[in-house]
Amino acid sequence: MLPVVESIGQGIDREAKLFFEKHKPPTDLIFDDGAEMESNRHRIAMTVLIRSLEQGFAHRNDFFVGGNMFIYYSVKQVRNQDFRGPDFFAVLGVDGTTSRQGWVVWDENGRYPDVIVELLSPSTAHEDKGKKKDIYEQVFKTPDYFVFDPFEPNSLQGWRLDASLRYQPLVPNERGWLWCETLGFWLGTWEGIVDRETATWARFFDESGNLVLLPEEAAQQQAETAQQQVEAAQKQVETAQQQVETAQQQAEKERQRGDRLAARLRELGDDPNTFNQ
């Protein structure tokens, strides 16, 4: 199914590029409206997704990941200012080293996000699962779309475009995780502390079910691994020292035994040196 979606998506990108080349869009764009996220937990949830994907793709530079930033995709949208951007999105196959204030489709060769996650709240859930979902399906043609409320652990939902470019619900696995074909990761929930806040977070997991770590988690894991290696080396040194001490003790016992035997021979009038000839 994926190759069909990707080939159609690439065709859409080419069509969008040609359209924007013909219809020159505005250049005086706004990238900050001063609006804040719903809550501190929403902010943390967004950065968790961004930073973990950056860590998971640390060996790559052909992707861009952003959050709570404007996506400009049409002249009408710019004029009406009726749509800002998703809480999290990722675009693959682009120059990840380029600095961007927002995602401007006509400056990106007609590329739209490949993966989008919206963080629900009571005030946004209706739009995120309604109007925005329609835009992501019908305009963006974003292959994978997910929603999650950071205050509702069982709220994770996801959809994927089928061959007819219509969203079909993703079926969770036995853990309740949803497979993101585009990223090659599971999106699931993980309970723990992030930035001093305990909650159930939306997190990425690799194909084997391992948590995709945040940079600080990866650094801590590396430090723990290094410490374990140091401790293992110390144990090896201690074991070697114990073996040397054991050998020395054994040699000392043999020497003392020899001395006692020699003393006994002398008591019997024998010269112990004659036994060594």
Side-chain angles (χ1 to χ4, degrees), residues 232-248:
Q234 289 176 338
K235 287 183 179 179
Q236 290 179 343
V237 171
E238 291 173 358
T239 299
Q241 289 176 339
Q242 290 173 353
Q243 291 174 343
V244 170
E245 291 174 358
T246 299
Q248 290 175 338

Side-chain angles (χ1 to χ4, degrees), residues 12-29:
I12 293 170
D13 293 341
R14 288 193 295 271
E15 292 176 4
K17 180 181 178 182
L18 292 174
F19 175 84
F20 289 125
E21 287 177 350
K22 183 177 180 180
H23 303 83
K24 295 298 182 182
T27 57
D28 54 339
L29 303 176

Side-chain angles (χ1 to χ4, degrees), residues 28-224:
D28 54 339
L29 303 176
I30 298 173
F31 291 101
D32 184 6
D33 61 357
E36 297 182 354
M37 298 199 71
E38 291 290 322
S39 69
N40 185 57
R41 184 175 296 184
H42 281 77
R43 179 190 62 80
I44 296 173
M46 176 191 70
T47 60
V48 163
L49 292 171
I50 293 173
R51 291 188 291 129
S52 62
L53 186 61
E54 289 176 337
Q55 178 65 31
F57 281 177
H59 60 291
R60 302 173 53 170
N61 59 10
D62 64 338
F63 73 98
F64 177 79
V65 57
N68 196 33
M69 60 192 301
F70 288 7
I71 294 181
Y72 285 107
Y73 62 93
S74 76
V75 175
K76 179 181 178 181
Q77 174 240 352
V78 173
R79 183 170 59 250
N80 295 340
Q81 290 288 294
D82 60 351
F83 175 74
R84 303 307 183 197
D87 294 316
F88 167 92
F89 70 94
V91 190
L92 306 185
V94 297
D95 183 3
T97 64
T98 300
S99 178
R100 298 171 172 90
Q101 291 181 284
W103 189 263
V104 184
V105 171
W106 51 84
D107 288 339
E108 302 288 351
N109 294 319
R111 290 299 310 278
Y112 291 90
D114 295 308
V115 179
I116 289 176
V117 179
E118 289 287 7
L119 299 172
L120 304 177
S121 69
S123 63
T124 66
H126 180 74
E127 182 176 9
D128 289 337
K129 292 194 285 187
K131 178 182 177 181
K132 282 191 174 183
K133 180 170 172 282
D134 291 341
I135 291 175
Y136 300 151
E137 176 191 57
Q138 300 168 19
V139 180
F140 286 20
K141 310 295 186 196
T142 295
D144 292 294
Y145 177 48
F146 303 90
V147 296
F148 177 71
D149 186 338
F151 289 92
E152 296 292 340
N154 298 319
S155 62
L156 181 63
Q157 292 179 271
W159 298 265
R160 179 164 175 80
L161 286 182
D162 61 15
S164 300
L165 296 181
R166 288 292 180 264
Y167 275 144
Q168 299 300 327
L170 290 170
V171 178
N173 67 2
E174 65 280 0
R175 297 180 178 180
W177 300 354
L178 303 174
W179 179 247
C180 181
E181 184 71 27
T182 302
L183 298 179
F185 289 144
W186 293 97
L187 182 61
T189 55
W190 173 87
E191 185 175 353
I193 302 174
V194 180
D195 291 349
R196 298 179 296 178
E197 182 154 352
T198 301
T200 298
W201 308 100
R203 297 289 300 265
F204 293 115
F205 300 83
D206 66 20
E207 191 171 1
S208 299
N210 301 305
L211 181 68
V212 177
L213 301 178
L214 295 166
E216 60 268 27
E217 292 172 335
Q220 180 179 355
Q221 185 182 75
Q222 291 175 351
E224 291 175 352

